[in-house]
């Protein structure tokens, strides 16, 4: 008998397990990542107040024109740089990285490297 693995359920379970330990505060908010099939989204969130401080994605008009000849990993790095730039404008320099249950490789790692390149510390 062959059993199927529900990859979504595995990711969600991993995410809940992570979130027990990762909490965003006003001094050190949480940098959350969501990865869909075609796009990647990032938010800097203050969990105590329940507010999203800044957000960026591959759908933003600011970087949309640059993405036509880029791979998804290169696009994720651009989103990381954009979220880092927007967070610095809001006065956020230190964050806690929440990879959303995804493995730290590929697009998720590229987004994190882009955010570090823009000046975020985590």
């Amino acid at each position: 008998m062959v059993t199927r693995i529900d990859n979504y359920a595995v990711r969600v379970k991993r995410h809940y397990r992570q979130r027990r330990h990762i909490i965003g505060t006003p001094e050190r908010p949480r940098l959350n990542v969501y990865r869909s099939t075609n796009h990647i989204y990032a938010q800097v969130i203050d969990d105590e107040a329940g507010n999203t401080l800044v957000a960026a994605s591959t759908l933003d008009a600011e970087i949309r024109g640059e993405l036509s000849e880029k791979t998804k990993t290169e696009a994720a790095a651009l989103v990381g740089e954009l979220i880092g730039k927007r967070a610095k404008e809001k006065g956020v320099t230190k964050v806690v990285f929440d990879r959303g249950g995804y493995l730290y490789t590929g697009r998720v790692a590229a987004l994190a490297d882009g955010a570090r390149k823009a000046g975020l510390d985590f």
Side-chain angles (χ1 to χ4, degrees):
M1 182 162 93
V2 177
T3 57
R4 298 191 84 159
I5 296 173
D6 184 2
N7 290 327
Y8 175 75
V10 170
R11 182 191 72 82
V12 169
K13 189 174 180 181
R14 193 181 312 124
H15 188 204
Y16 284 133
R17 199 168 49 234
Q18 269 186 309
R19 281 300 313 278
R20 279 188 260 153
H21 306 286
I22 299 173
I23 299 166
T25 62
E27 298 81 32
R28 197 172 176 114
R30 177 170 54 99
L31 173 58
N32 182 43
V33 175
Y34 175 72
R35 189 189 76 191
S36 73
T37 306
N38 295 319
H39 299 287
I40 193 157
Y41 309 82
Q43 295 179 321
V44 176
I45 303 167
D46 173 10
D47 287 322
E48 288 182 7
N51 293 335
T52 297
L53 306 174
V54 293
S57 76
T58 51
L59 297 173
D60 277 334
E62 201 171 315
I63 61 170
R64 187 78 172 158
E66 301 174 35
L67 301 179
S68 59
E69 44 300 312
K70 300 232 185 264
T71 64
K72 290 193 242 184
T73 305
E74 293 168 339
L78 285 176
V79 171
E81 290 176 24
L82 182 61
I83 194 81
K85 183 182 89 170
R86 288 181 179 174
K88 297 272 296 199
E89 289 172 0
K90 287 277 190 168
V92 176
T93 57
K94 292 187 175 198
V95 295
V96 178
F97 189 65
D98 174 15
R99 57 189 169 91
Y102 302 106
L103 300 178
Y104 189 84
T105 185
R107 292 192 282 161
V108 176
L111 188 140
D113 291 340
R116 281 191 193 99
K117 184 178 172 185
L120 283 183
D121 181 32
F122 53 95

